[in-house]
């Protein structure tokens, strides 16, 4: 599964979802993780009330299962959840991406907590499932 992190330094989870200029994306499994890409965003990202600023981010991380943030607005969180992406708040702006990834790998090897099992079940496994889900809505 893919996990995204809002970051300003590519080490810590230290950016608000709406204001983040960078989102790092990793592939993770119970065997480990690896870096996939850094998504970059431009423009006036601090403009409150501008819902259009988050649309490119929503579209860019739609294939992620979880996005870690320091903060996120209610409407952005609702839009993520509707797309099957679970937003999770970091414990602090000092929390490191690698720490979270290592903990997740260990958790996936064992018995994931209910919130993580639910997040894992939300993602369609393939395009046919996705089309079927769309058709039943």
């Amino acid at each position: 599964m893919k996990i995204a992190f809002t970051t300003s330094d590519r080490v810590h989870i230290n950016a608000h979802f709406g204001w983040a200029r960078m989102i790092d994306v990793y592939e993770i499994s119970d065997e480990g993780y690896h870096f996939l890409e850094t998504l970059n965003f431009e423009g006036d990202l601090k403009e409150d009330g501008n819902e259009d600023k988050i649309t490119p981010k929503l579209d860019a991380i739609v294939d992620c299962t979880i996005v870690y943030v320091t903060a996120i607005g209610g409407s952005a969180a609702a839009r993520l959840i509707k797309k099957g992406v679970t937003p999770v708040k970091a414990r602090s702006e000092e929390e490191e991406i690698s720490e979270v990834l290592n903990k997740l790998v260990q958790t996936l090897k064992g018995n994931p907590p209910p919130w993580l099992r639910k997040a894992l079940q939300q993602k369609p496994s393939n395009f046919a499932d996705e089309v079927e889900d769309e058709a039943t809505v």
Side-chain angles (χ1 to χ4, degrees):
M1 73 177 160
K2 290 183 181 179
I3 308 288
F5 298 90
T6 59
T7 183
S8 65
D9 62 6
R10 303 193 62 221
V11 174
H12 300 94
I13 306 164
N14 59 2
H16 182 288
F17 181 75
W19 304 344
R21 294 208 174 273
M22 291 187 292
I23 298 178
D24 278 358
V25 180
Y26 289 80
E27 183 74 38
I28 185 170
S29 72
D30 60 359
E31 296 175 7
Y33 65 87
H34 67 275
F35 174 77
L36 292 176
E37 64 182 323
T38 297
L39 304 169
N40 292 293
F41 301 92
E42 301 297 326
D44 186 7
L45 300 175
K46 292 197 178 195
E47 186 180 327
D48 287 333
N50 178 5
E51 292 299 313
D52 292 339
K53 73 180 178 188
I54 64 168
T55 300
K57 290 179 185 168
L58 294 170
D59 293 343
I61 65 168
V62 72
D63 60 343
C64 293
T65 302
I66 301 169
V67 59
Y68 281 84
V69 300
T70 55
I72 187 168
S75 65
R79 289 173 68 185
L80 278 171
I81 291 166
K82 189 174 181 178
K83 290 183 176 278
V85 181
T86 302
V88 176
K89 283 191 179 181
R91 289 191 183 103
S92 78
E93 290 189 12
E94 298 302 312
E95 190 165 26
E96 293 188 11
I97 293 169
S98 60
E99 286 177 27
V100 171
L101 287 166
N102 286 322
K103 287 178 189 172
L104 278 172
V105 168
Q106 292 306 312
T107 301
L108 290 173
K109 286 182 182 179
N111 187 15
W115 73 266
L116 184 54
R117 284 197 304 269
K118 183 178 180 188
L120 292 171
Q121 291 169 355
Q122 285 181 357
K123 284 294 178 191
S125 58
N126 61 42
F127 183 72
D129 290 345
E130 200 169 308
V131 170
E132 185 175 313
D133 289 347
E134 295 274 327
T136 60
V137 173

